[in-house]
Amino acid sequence: MSEQWQCIYSASNSLEAHSVKGLLESEGVKTRLTGEALGAAIGELPANVVEVKVWVSPWQWQRAQVIVSDYKRNDYHDWCCSQCGEVNQGQFELCWNCQCDRDQH
């Protein structure tokens, strides 16, 4: 019997989708992304068509739902890495570019 993956989150862009994917995977939830290739069609397709979707397996749905709900509820503030200058989303403790710890600022 084939497992039917379920969409847990629709991101407005690939960066946001990868952020949510990373958050879920750091909590042990296996994920898949769809729609990344459509990003090149922005402006030619409706915005909801080019969304990048994050999918989880049904047996991890409830856990993923709690994690995504917490993600949506929190008001994280972006931060700038002191080592490389890259802007990082607030929920992350390590710079995505150079892996510098947020607390080293």
Side-chain angles (χ1 to χ4, degrees):
M1 182 164 125
S2 145
E3 184 175 287
Q4 294 292 323
W5 288 64
Q6 298 174 339
C7 181
I8 191 76
Y9 191 81
S10 294
S12 58
N13 58 56
S14 186
L15 179 61
E16 181 186 15
H18 278 277
S19 295
V20 173
K21 179 182 190 287
L23 181 62
L24 289 165
E25 289 181 344
S26 74
E27 295 291 329
V29 177
K30 190 173 178 182
T31 64
R32 292 182 181 171
L33 297 180
T34 60
E36 285 188 284
L38 295 175
I42 290 176
E44 297 180 27
L45 295 173
N48 65 332
V49 172
V50 294
E51 290 177 336
V52 181
K53 297 187 185 297
V54 181
W55 299 77
V56 298
S57 65
W59 60 274
Q60 291 186 309
W61 173 260
Q62 288 182 331
R63 175 141 176 77
Q65 200 169 28
V66 169
I67 295 165
V68 169
S69 289
D70 287 347
Y71 169 78
K72 289 179 180 179
R73 184 175 31 252
N74 286 319
D75 184 20
Y76 295 110
H77 299 284
D78 292 350
W79 56 279
C80 186
C81 179
S82 62
Q83 183 169 319
C84 72
E86 192 64 40
V87 175
N88 293 274
Q89 291 186 351
Q91 71 271 25
F92 297 104
E93 296 298 319
L94 294 177
C95 175
W96 72 267
N97 187 48
C98 71
Q99 306 305 307
C100 179
D101 192 318
R102 179 182 191 166
D103 294 332
Q104 292 179 358
H105 296 273

